[in-house]
Amino acid sequence: MELPVWDPSTVDGPTLDALRERASATRDTPWPVPLASQYARYFRDGDRDSYEQVIWARDQRVSRAVALAAATGEEAWLDEAADGIALFCEQSSWCWPAHDDTFTRHGAVVPTVTDPYLDLGASEVAAQLAWADHVLGDRLDERLPGLRARIRHEVDVRVLTPFERRRDWHWLGLGGKVGNWTPWIHGNVLVASVLATDPARRATLQGLAAGGLERYIAALPDDGAIDEGYSYWWNGAGRLLEALELLDRPIEGRVRATVAFPHSVHLGGPWYLNHADGQARPAIDQPWALLHRAARRAGDAEAEAHAVAHRVPGGPVAHENQGLGRLLRALTDPAWRAAVPRPLTGGGDAWFPSTQVLLARDAAGLTLAVKGGHNDEHHNHNDVGSVVVALRGVPVLVDPGRPTYTALTFSPRRYEIWTMQSGWHNVPRIAGAEQAAGPGFAARDVAVEDAGLTLELGGAYPGDHRWRRKARLDRATGRVTVTDAWELAGGGGTTEIRWMAAGVVRLAEGRAEVDALDGAGTVALTWTPAVPCAAVVRELDDPMLSGVWGARLTRLDIDVSGLGPAGTLELTIEELR
């Protein structure tokens, strides 16, 4: 495998202009410098974001400079790129502190340079340097002799050799469990392998990387769904598709199915169905050129149209925050540059048996999404049975998503974080108890009906309760109904049916109205019997949440305790016109 030939004559002009403008604004400023104290913060107080933001700022500055140097041939940009490359080579670790085992293996809170950890961050830098070496090539040797040799040495010591010798990395998937790390790192190692000077070793590295990709493919469900949700598709299945393109492997079967995943879970405009740690409104500047190329190769016209809808006519085709490889590929993709966008609309109905996620749509109004599954999914939230309702593509009854990652996020204390708890999802609180984490806490007797889903939720909770939920979209009336029927096995706590609402909420007896975000309109919730309901406002001070939902979310707690240990409540959701 070789990286594709770089042809500067095919570079997209508007993207180059935008890169030049951003690069010129930073070129005469000091380079971002990651500090030991920032690295240590993860181990001291759990803050991982401060260090990562510095690294990502450096990464993007290098990518801008490399792309400009490769496209224009200007020595000033070549020097800027070389400075960034040299800084990466001198950086103590390419690993992100949240992933480094420096503390558990060595008792250190700074990188142990003699024992580098190969994680997402390290593999990203290795691939970035390989792309830089590929497109700048002999020009680096002419202007800065020795720098390419330094690149090869650092990539070898930090990534290639550890990849060969240490085979206990969890992301290898050798134990059968894989996640987005598996294609992400293996795909980056595949790119970095071109720096290996010995052809036999290069072939060995590429064979090992291809084996990891095959393990990920084997774990993909036939329906192509990603249990981590849309946001993580880009760095899981999306990374796989990039690697398969470099290997010139066909897109077929379950891999072809996953090409359809992004548009299948699109709600409308910038909104997507989210679950797990995904965001309902992720960054819009995703690497759409990647999806466009994959859709072309797979022959998926709908996926291709969805990618094209994000093209701005005459505007940039990519951004450096997508990574250097993705930027360079988009810059020189004539089909992507020539693509003419069409209006972005939500997809059709979708059912993913592997994750037990249903989407049913009324083109004129409401979209219903229902999730079964279990509470040991990748990036899991305790959310079995959760319902999301959107109005004209804008979520109204919502899954909050996740806050900024800290040391707590992937620790045994994960479920102390409120967004991970079932109490802040659209599910019941049964006899004072919330859902528990683990693969055994799962939906049962899941049945797909016309534009609806029925499932048993009791198994997601401690105790021996029965809780049958049926959620359905009636296209004839434009209404969503959610019917909950229960038989409780004791327990003295309050039983409530909870709903997370985004927008302005007005509460009355047996009724609530929600003015949706983005001026999408107003929905009315009515429930029978008209039992009491309390509104709990959750102020949002984390930008990962407030950037999606604004200043607050409102939880509606419908108290059904008075209906006894066996009862039924029907909730109707409809647009107020």
Side-chain angles (χ1 to χ4, degrees):
M1 184 217 83
E2 302 290 343
L3 297 181
V5 174
W6 170 254
D7 182 359
S9 68
T10 64
V11 168
D12 180 70
T15 306
L16 207 63
D17 293 340
L19 286 170
R20 186 189 299 274
E21 182 178 357
R22 291 191 293 273
S24 297
T26 59
R27 186 170 65 182
D28 295 327
T29 65
W31 278 84
V33 178
L35 302 175
S37 59
Q38 293 171 326
Y39 204 95
R41 282 199 66 179
Y42 175 79
F43 305 98
R44 290 173 175 169
D45 62 22
D47 182 315
R48 57 182 284 179
D49 194 59
S50 298
Y51 182 88
E52 290 175 1
Q53 291 298 331
V54 175
I55 292 300
W56 295 334
R58 175 180 280 191
D59 171 280
Q60 291 178 33
R61 184 166 171 176
V62 170
S63 292
R64 289 192 296 267
V66 169
L68 286 163
T72 68
E74 296 175 17
E75 290 183 347
W77 294 120
L78 186 62
D79 284 347
E80 170 86 348
D83 286 343
I85 289 168
L87 285 170
F88 266 136
C89 290
E90 293 167 3
Q91 192 172 301
S92 293
S93 175
W94 297 341
C95 177
W96 299 339
H99 304 154
D100 200 348
D101 61 1
T102 183
F103 183 77
T104 57
R105 286 167 71 97
H106 304 285
V109 297
V110 293
T112 303
V113 297
T114 54
D115 188 15
Y117 191 91
L118 177 48
D119 76 324
L120 304 176
S123 76
E124 279 286 285
V125 175
Q128 185 178 25
L129 295 182
W131 279 108
D133 180 90
H134 176 63
V135 297
L136 299 180
D138 293 340
R139 293 178 53 223
L140 281 177
D141 280 337
E142 293 168 4
R143 189 159 180 82
L144 294 106
L147 185 57
R148 294 181 77 190
R150 179 72 186 276
I151 290 171
R152 282 173 165 74
H153 169 76
E154 298 296 342
V155 171
D156 187 7
V157 169
R158 299 169 188 249
V159 173
L160 300 183
T161 294
F163 177 67
E164 289 174 307
R165 294 183 179 175
R166 184 172 169 183
R167 305 303 288 170
D168 64 342
W169 314 103
H170 70 86
W171 47 263
L172 290 173
L174 297 174
K177 189 171 184 178
V178 301
N180 64 56
W181 283 44
T182 304
W184 192 342
I185 297 178
H186 282 95
N188 280 333
V189 170
L190 185 69
V191 171
S193 72
V194 302
L195 295 173
T197 55
D198 177 24
R201 186 183 182 213
R202 190 183 313 130
T204 297
L205 288 163
Q206 292 178 0
L208 289 171
L213 297 171
E214 291 296 340
R215 288 190 288 277
Y216 183 78
I217 293 172
L220 268 178
D222 290 339
D223 57 24
I226 302 299
D227 65 355
E228 297 161 298
Y230 163 81
S231 296
Y232 283 89
W233 182 92
W234 293 102
N235 283 322
R239 297 282 180 173
L240 169 70
L241 293 167
E242 286 179 298
L244 293 180
E245 183 180 8
L246 290 174
L247 291 168
D248 198 24
R249 301 274 184 89
I251 296 178
E252 54 193 8
R254 62 190 66 186
V255 179
R256 188 184 189 281
T258 203
V259 173
F261 187 73
H263 72 261
S264 297
V265 297
H266 177 231
L267 296 175
W271 298 95
Y272 288 77
L273 176 65
N274 68 302
H275 45 84
D277 278 346
Q279 291 180 289
R281 186 166 58 185
I284 199 66
D285 57 350
Q286 302 293 346
W288 295 106
L290 178 166
L291 178 60
H292 192 252
R293 291 197 313 274
R296 281 154 31 204
R297 294 179 66 226
D300 188 328
E302 286 187 87
E304 185 176 343
H306 187 71
V308 169
H310 292 84
R311 278 281 290 114
V312 177
V317 297
H319 191 282
E320 64 270 20
N321 65 7
Q322 299 166 4
L324 179 57
R326 290 173 166 182
L327 173 63
L328 295 173
R329 297 300 302 275
L331 274 171
T332 55
D333 182 346
W336 175 239
R337 290 173 55 191
V340 178
R342 290 177 283 176
L344 189 63
T345 59
D349 289 359
W351 165 241
F352 299 102
S354 65
T355 54
Q356 298 178 342
V357 171
L358 171 83
L359 287 93
R361 309 172 194 264
D362 177 357
L366 297 180
T367 296
L368 167 69
V370 193
K371 178 187 179 298
H374 59 84
N375 284 336
D376 190 38
E377 297 162 345
H378 293 102
H379 289 259
N380 181 70
H381 291 198
N382 290 339
D383 60 357
V384 172
S386 190
V387 172
V388 168
V389 176
L391 176 61
R392 295 190 181 87
V394 179
V396 182
L397 300 178
V398 309
D399 180 324
R402 58 94 167 173
T404 301
Y405 285 159
T406 69
L408 205 63
T409 308
F410 299 104
S411 77
R413 298 174 59 196
R414 175 178 177 86
Y415 297 99
E416 294 179 18
I417 303 170
W418 69 270
T419 59
M420 316 302 184
Q421 300 165 2
S422 69
W424 296 94
H425 288 79
N426 298 328
V427 296
R429 183 172 185 259
I430 301 179
E434 296 187 10
Q435 293 184 14
F441 296 97
R444 305 276 193 272
D445 302 327
V446 178
V448 180
E449 302 174 359
D450 179 34
L453 195 69
T454 302
L455 61 170
E456 168 60 45
L457 306 185
Y461 295 80
D464 191 25
H465 308 293
R466 296 294 304 276
W467 194 287
R468 194 73 175 161
R469 166 165 281 187
K470 179 178 181 179
R472 183 176 180 273
L473 170 66
D474 185 339
R475 292 192 179 92
T477 63
R479 296 172 180 156
V480 167
T481 57
V482 180
T483 304
D484 288 297
W486 59 89
E487 297 177 13
L488 306 187
T494 302
T495 297
E496 299 168 330
I497 303 174
R498 293 181 166 180
W499 296 96
M500 298 295 298
V504 178
V505 177
R506 294 177 294 277
L507 187 59
E509 184 178 353
R511 179 182 178 86
E513 295 180 2
V514 184
D515 298 334
L517 301 175
D518 297 351
T522 300
V523 298
L525 287 68
T526 55
W527 52 91
T528 306
V531 295
C533 178
V536 179
V537 174
R538 183 86 197 201
E539 302 291 344
L540 304 178
D541 58 3
D542 188 301
M544 291 295 294
L545 295 166
S546 60
V548 176
W549 307 116
R552 64 189 55 83
L553 290 170
T554 302
R555 192 181 73 193
L556 299 174
D557 295 353
I558 302 175
D559 189 344
V560 297
S561 303
L563 300 180
T568 301
L569 185 132
E570 182 174 277
L571 175 75
T572 300
I573 304 131
E574 59 186 326
E575 181 182 6
L576 284 182
R577 298 183 182 273

